[in-house]
Amino acid sequence: MNASLPLHPRSHFPPDFVWGVATSAFQIEGAATWQGKGESIWDRFCRQPGAIADGSHGDVACDHLNRLDSDLDLIERLGVDAYRFSISWPRVQPDGRGAFNPQGMAFYERLVDGLLQRGIRPYLTLNHWDLPQSLQDSGGWAHRDTCYRFVQYARHMAQALGDRVAAITTHNEPWVMAVLGHESGVFAPGVRNRGTAMQVAHHLLVSHGLALQELRADGCKSRLGIVLNLSPIVPATASEADAAAARLEDGRSVRWYLDPLLRGEYPEDVWHHLGTDAPCVEHGDMELIATPMDFLGVNYYTRSVVSANGSWNAKEHGGPLTDMGWEIVPQGLTQLLRRLQRDWSLPPLYVMENGAAFRDSLQDGRVHDGDRVEYLSSHIDAVGRAIAQGVPVAGYMVWSLLDNFEWASGYAKRFGLVHVDYDSLARTPKDSFHWYRGFLDGQKAQRKLHVGAMA
Ligand code: FCB
């Protein structure tokens, strides 16, 4: 693989641009029943036969819980400004209501303090999908009461950590939780009902707005926002039918979230299309959802090509693919960011996840993942191009620090800058880790020059 890199338009990254790396609790922590942790919907889902491609689960994962200090050292070695992680709600509040678990809380205190001691800014996500199972047992996100439980959990975490974390994200990728979790059922909790999925999406958005209002009323100093998975949605052909299918898909996956968050309304065409599956919206919900945010997080991996008959298949189109079968389309990220700016009035944007799975092999203590280096460098370049065209992007985070539990794909898909041997749990930084570190060194040198020039 040719790892020679395109030249970065380095000057396009402002000196205060935040460079980071991301993980989530369920995918790395393990210790599924350790020190009073409650069961999450993903613990339960993994036990369903056939739910996870390799039959695996998160019981041990990367054993991050027991390797916190050495993992923090790895993050420090990487040279990032920020680390994005999530809290496991059932680890800190096992039943999702009532008492908080002091041992769970202590773990995240150590995590946040360990980052600060190393000069790394903590970016906290409250909900990266692992809802306490006991809340699911009483209806989960389809039930409005879960919004109020979430706000109570959010306030508790903000009171404990809000003085030290730079940013708090309410939810990671509501579309995934709603649609993959409740419509196609391929993710936890494995429900298959479109009406339920749309009610779940609405409750996620309502709880986001409520949490923002309550946290601000409590005097929380962290910046507050949400993270969405977004792609340019492209029709497969020039036909009317494909254009209409793409428009609807854009409505369901992009506008359904951005219109309420940034304009306080659901897109009419999608509402009409949903018929009786449209959610039940209470008086005042739309104002709550549109509570102003301090940032909007964007996760980008690939574009989405839509055909009316569902026949489009990336594999048949000859372009480069990752090991997930996702097309590699860096210019799609520039296109997406520019479109966001054109169509909505935006708070600062952060690319909160971007990265790729490849079939890495560990040989003589090295992983030569030139394909990942190329993926990352071309996508960073794409962000630089968007900034150069005036899009307010303030940060970029690589998914992911470690190889980890890739949800329904199990452990076979490796996204890490650091290779994990799942037998020994040994960590080996890949070539991409060293490349990103070198890139960040270059950014820091630029910053020094900038500060020098300003002095
Ligand atoms: C995103 C998830 C993240 C990871 C990447 C590959 O949708 O937020 O946890 O699984 O995909």
Side-chain angles (χ1 to χ4, degrees):
M1 183 90 223
N2 175 10
S4 71
L5 306 175
L7 264 188
H8 291 293
R10 294 213 157 105
S11 55
H12 295 161
F13 295 106
D16 56 353
F17 194 81
V18 178
W19 296 98
V21 69
T23 63
S24 87
F26 189 80
Q27 295 178 276
I28 64 168
E29 285 182 357
T33 55
W34 183 81
Q35 294 184 339
K37 175 182 165 291
E39 188 185 17
S40 81
I41 57 172
W42 272 91
D43 290 310
R44 179 72 64 92
F45 186 67
C46 289
R47 261 65 198 181
Q48 278 183 28
I52 310 299
D54 58 5
S56 62
H57 47 67
D59 289 7
V60 178
C62 304
D63 197 32
H64 172 65
L65 207 99
N66 293 306
R67 289 158 201 262
L68 177 63
D69 292 329
S70 50
D71 284 346
L72 290 174
D73 288 344
L74 265 177
I75 301 169
E76 185 179 18
R77 261 175 72 195
L78 185 56
V80 285
D81 305 310
Y83 174 57
R84 175 174 179 244
F85 64 98
S86 79
I87 306 270
S88 158
W89 184 354
R91 189 177 298 291
V92 295
Q93 193 184 29
D95 291 328
R97 52 166 74 81
F100 282 82
N101 172 18
Q103 287 160 313
M105 293 298 293
F107 172 72
Y108 295 107
E109 295 268 353
R110 270 181 62 211
L111 169 49
V112 167
D113 289 341
L115 288 169
L116 293 175
Q117 278 152 18
R118 291 167 176 82
I120 302 157
R121 273 172 263 168
Y123 276 57
L124 181 160
T125 301
L126 289 165
N127 173 23
H128 202 122
W129 309 352
D130 45 356
L131 183 76
Q133 179 62 41
S134 64
L135 290 185
Q136 187 62 40
D137 294 341
S138 42
W141 285 111
H143 189 28
R144 195 169 173 104
D145 186 60
T146 300
C147 299
Y148 307 119
R149 302 283 70 79
F150 175 76
V151 172
Q152 196 216 9
Y153 153 64
R155 290 182 69 189
H156 191 86
M157 297 316 298
Q159 276 155 15
L161 301 172
D163 57 334
R164 282 162 285 164
V165 299
I168 297 180
T169 292
T170 52
H171 302 298
N172 179 68
E173 303 187 346
W175 178 88
V176 170
M177 286 182 274
V179 174
L180 300 189
H182 298 81
E183 184 172 333
S184 64
V186 295
F187 278 13
V191 174
R192 289 175 195 215
N193 182 308
R194 188 173 73 166
T196 307
M198 299 322 290
Q199 195 61 53
V200 164
H202 182 66
H203 286 157
L204 288 165
L205 293 174
V206 168
S207 64
H208 155 83
L210 257 180
L212 256 54
Q213 300 214 345
E214 296 284 326
L215 264 53
R216 288 205 179 113
D218 287 349
C220 178
K221 298 275 183 301
S222 315
R223 279 181 302 148
L224 307 176
I226 196 167
V227 174
L228 305 178
N229 54 302
L230 300 173
S231 293
I233 315 282
V234 189
T237 70
S239 75
E240 268 299 312
D242 286 353
R247 168 100 190 136
L248 178 61
E249 182 54 31
D250 180 70
R252 288 211 57 197
S253 61
V254 178
R255 290 180 286 123
W256 190 260
Y257 299 89
L258 287 170
D259 279 0
L261 286 164
L262 300 171
R263 289 197 194 125
E265 63 195 19
Y266 282 120
E268 248 179 61
D269 58 330
V270 184
W271 186 275
H272 181 74
H273 165 83
L274 289 171
T276 54
D277 286 341
C280 164
V281 174
E282 291 190 8
H283 183 72
D285 281 0
M286 301 315 291
E287 290 74 25
L288 266 179
I289 296 174
T291 303
M293 298 185 278
D294 300 317
F295 68 88
L296 172 67
V298 175
N299 293 348
Y300 175 82
Y301 290 91
T302 187
R303 65 174 183 165
S304 167
V305 183
V306 176
S307 57
N309 61 11
S311 62
W312 200 87
N313 177 343
K315 287 199 182 82
E316 290 161 11
H317 285 265
L321 305 179
T322 70
D323 194 28
M324 296 297 281
W326 298 345
E327 274 187 293
I328 302 176
V329 194
Q331 64 279 18
L333 179 52
T334 313
Q335 220 184 317
L336 169 70
L337 294 167
R338 293 193 62 201
R339 186 262 175 123
L340 296 180
Q341 192 189 25
R342 191 193 66 209
D343 289 357
W344 290 278
S345 159
L346 299 171
L349 296 178
Y350 288 77
V351 175
M352 288 289 201
E353 288 180 26
N354 175 242
F358 289 108
R359 292 191 191 189
D360 302 322
S361 69
L362 177 66
Q363 278 165 346
D364 305 323
R366 300 291 303 262
V367 178
H368 297 303
D369 58 340
D371 36 18
R372 184 170 291 101
V373 170
E374 208 159 290
Y375 181 99
L376 294 175
S377 70
S378 59
H379 284 75
I380 289 173
D381 199 31
V383 176
R385 286 173 201 276
I387 295 173
Q389 293 171 67
V391 186
V393 191
Y396 170 92
M397 314 233 180
V398 173
W399 182 271
S400 182
L401 175 69
L402 303 169
D403 289 339
N404 59 45
F405 177 78
E406 180 43 37
W407 309 111
S409 306
Y411 293 97
K413 305 295 180 199
R414 294 178 175 272
F415 275 90
L417 296 174
V418 176
H419 179 274
V420 176
D421 176 324
Y422 292 113
D423 295 323
S424 67
L425 293 163
R427 275 81 162 132
T428 308
K430 303 177 190 176
D431 285 359
S432 54
F433 179 101
H434 302 296
W435 172 80
Y436 192 40
R437 206 218 129 93
F439 170 78
L440 297 177
D441 282 345
Q443 291 299 308
K444 284 173 200 157
Q446 293 273 323
R447 271 183 208 164
K448 281 203 189 111
L449 282 178
H450 177 86
V451 173
M454 302 287 287

